[in-house]
Amino acid sequence: MTSKELILKNIKTNNVVQDTSLPDYSNFGLTFEDKHSHFSTMLESVGGKALFIKKEELEETIKSLYPDEKLITSNIEGFSLANFDANEEADPHNLKDIDLAVVKGEFAVAENGAVWVKNRDNRHRSLYFIAQNIILVLEKSAIVNNMHEAYELISFGEPSYGAFISGPSKTADIEQSLVIGAHGPKSGYVIFVE
């Protein structure tokens, strides 16, 4: 037997894969006694604000937040303040003048103040980033503790677009100074309805 054959034989003999169970992640990640309170704190730390209202107060609340906005688009069913249908535009560049986008969020993450949005009802994914102001609306019960729980809710089975959004656009690239509204929405609200 050559030295090469001896080495290969020893590798085959000693290369035994053991059946090892994967670690349990069921009790992994941060959890919060009051998820909504922690979410609000995290969102405010990045320039956004969370509100908690009754569903029937949605339009009145938005009117009080943005009384002067002229071009408003929305994918919220039954939302009557919308006066522009972004889905009718073929070119996303035509969305540049939208003052306010009121869009549906899927669920919120308390750990980092982010909301998962899916492009299911919006033709242009740029809507989330091109509007001057953005409001994400979701059910009060649609909140998880951490990103581990969040990824369990996301389906990657079919091709689609989704993003986590947390507050308005911001950057701290220049001199480590936080600048709000640098390259997208100047203000961002998350409204939980019940």
Side-chain angles (χ1 to χ4, degrees), residues 7-117:
I7 291 170
L8 291 174
K9 179 183 174 206
N10 285 337
I11 289 173
K12 286 180 186 176
T13 305
N14 294 315
N15 192 10
V16 179
V17 177
Q18 296 179 357
D19 188 19
T20 305
S21 60
L22 295 172
D24 179 27
Y25 290 109
S26 60
N27 192 19
F28 190 74
L30 298 170
T31 57
F32 305 97
E33 192 172 318
D34 185 351
K35 292 183 276 197
H36 293 98
S37 173
H38 191 78
F39 177 89
S40 296
T41 301
M42 295 308 294
L43 185 61
E44 285 179 24
S45 74
V46 294
K49 186 154 178 62
L51 302 174
F52 302 89
I53 63 171
K54 300 281 187 208
K55 196 169 196 167
E56 58 271 9
E57 298 171 345
L58 181 63
E59 292 189 13
E60 181 184 318
T61 301
I62 291 174
K63 269 189 210 177
S64 69
L65 292 172
Y66 297 101
D68 301 324
E69 303 305 340
K70 304 213 179 342
L71 202 57
I72 301 172
T73 189
S74 178
N75 68 348
I76 305 294
E77 194 173 314
F79 184 74
S80 68
L81 297 179
N83 56 18
F84 178 78
D85 188 353
N87 289 337
E88 288 183 2
E89 293 296 326
D91 184 0
H93 294 93
N94 295 337
L95 306 181
K96 68 180 173 21
D97 295 322
I98 292 176
D99 294 314
L100 177 63
V102 182
V103 292
K104 182 181 179 201
E106 300 292 319
F107 60 86
V109 184
E111 176 181 26
N112 57 8
V115 174
W116 175 253
V117 295

Side-chain angles (χ1 to χ4, degrees), residues 83-186:
N83 56 18
F84 178 78
D85 188 353
N87 289 337
E88 288 183 2
E89 293 296 326
D91 184 0
H93 294 93
N94 295 337
L95 306 181
K96 68 180 173 21
D97 295 322
I98 292 176
D99 294 314
L100 177 63
V102 182
V103 292
K104 182 181 179 201
E106 300 292 319
F107 60 86
V109 184
E111 176 181 26
N112 57 8
V115 174
W116 175 253
V117 295
K118 206 154 163 79
N119 207 39
R120 191 176 312 131
D121 300 327
N122 290 323
R123 180 177 183 184
H124 305 289
R125 63 182 80 163
S126 62
L127 176 64
Y128 303 113
F129 312 105
I130 201 168
Q132 292 297 310
N133 303 284
I134 189 167
I135 296 178
L136 304 170
V137 180
L138 61 153
E139 295 291 327
K140 187 176 181 187
S141 61
I143 188 168
V144 295
N145 283 295
N146 55 54
M147 291 300 286
H148 301 284
E149 293 175 15
Y151 282 125
E152 293 293 323
L153 298 177
I154 300 172
S155 169
F156 296 103
E158 58 189 56
S160 65
Y161 175 78
F164 284 103
I165 297 177
S166 181
S169 141
K170 58 204 142 296
T171 184
D173 291 346
I174 301 169
E175 296 182 13
Q176 306 284 304
S177 248
L178 182 63
V179 177
I180 303 294
H183 44 65
K186 297 182 289 188

